[in-house]
Amino acid sequence: MKIAIGNDHAAVVMKNEIMEYVKELGHEVKNFGTDREESCNYPEYGEKVARAVASGEADCGILICGTGVGISIAANKVKGVRAAVCSDTATARLVKEHNNANIIAFGARIIGIELAKDIVKAYLSAEFLGGRHEARVAMIAGLEERFS
């Protein structure tokens, strides 16, 4: 899989470790994040990853900022993106299985690197279940159409 990754200044170290981990899992990674620890604006990086995922340039995305919240909010403004903040492996698995989330986010100031790796693995190993969840994901897409 091709995975887009993005981050702000709070998550440079974690992003680099996650990039290496994702490569170890056998995936291709494209870095859309900053490599500098000087203060920067997380919405720019959320948008870059979201556009890569929405356009099909990447199969899915990983976003990291201080909490994971701000960068995921920015990503969710891009049509076709379903970004979810995950602070545990069960959520990471379920956002894929039930919501067909195409981007996960987490906070470098909230979780440690080992949990971040476990979250990434749980998300990348999961598959959308479809079925009753398909209609709900379609309803979300419908909201985008009505309010864009």
Side-chain angles (χ1 to χ4, degrees), residues 20-35:
E20 288 307 312
Y21 180 68
V22 169
K23 289 175 188 175
E24 288 172 15
L25 293 175
H27 303 288
E28 181 182 332
V29 181
K30 180 147 185 188
N31 180 10
F32 289 91
T34 185
D35 291 317

Side-chain angles (χ1 to χ4, degrees), residues 19-145:
M19 281 179 52
E20 288 307 312
Y21 180 68
V22 169
K23 289 175 188 175
E24 288 172 15
L25 293 175
H27 303 288
E28 181 182 332
V29 181
K30 180 147 185 188
N31 180 10
F32 289 91
T34 185
D35 291 317
R36 301 174 55 132
E37 294 183 355
E38 289 81 16
S39 184
C40 63
N41 299 313
Y42 60 79
E44 295 174 26
Y45 303 104
E47 180 185 5
K48 287 178 183 182
V49 168
R51 290 198 183 282
V53 171
S55 72
E57 179 182 348
D59 297 307
C60 62
I62 299 169
L63 292 170
I64 318 167
C65 67
T67 63
V69 175
I71 203 165
S72 69
I73 291 170
N76 277 318
K77 299 299 180 184
V78 174
K79 185 177 179 178
V81 168
R82 291 174 306 283
V85 178
C86 302
S87 295
D88 60 79
T89 57
T91 302
R93 178 179 51 80
L94 290 168
V95 300
K96 183 61 163 183
E97 290 178 351
H98 292 192
N99 311 114
N100 203 17
N102 48 15
I103 297 176
I104 58 166
F106 42 84
R109 295 178 178 153
I110 304 299
I111 63 171
I113 189 61
E114 293 307 316
L115 179 53
K117 288 177 182 177
D118 289 344
I119 287 169
V120 167
K121 186 173 185 180
Y123 172 75
L124 294 177
S125 299
E127 293 185 23
F128 181 50
L129 297 177
R132 72 181 192 273
H133 306 291
E134 190 79 46
R136 295 168 185 155
V137 172
M139 289 174 74
I140 293 168
L143 289 171
E144 285 182 336
E145 293 302 318

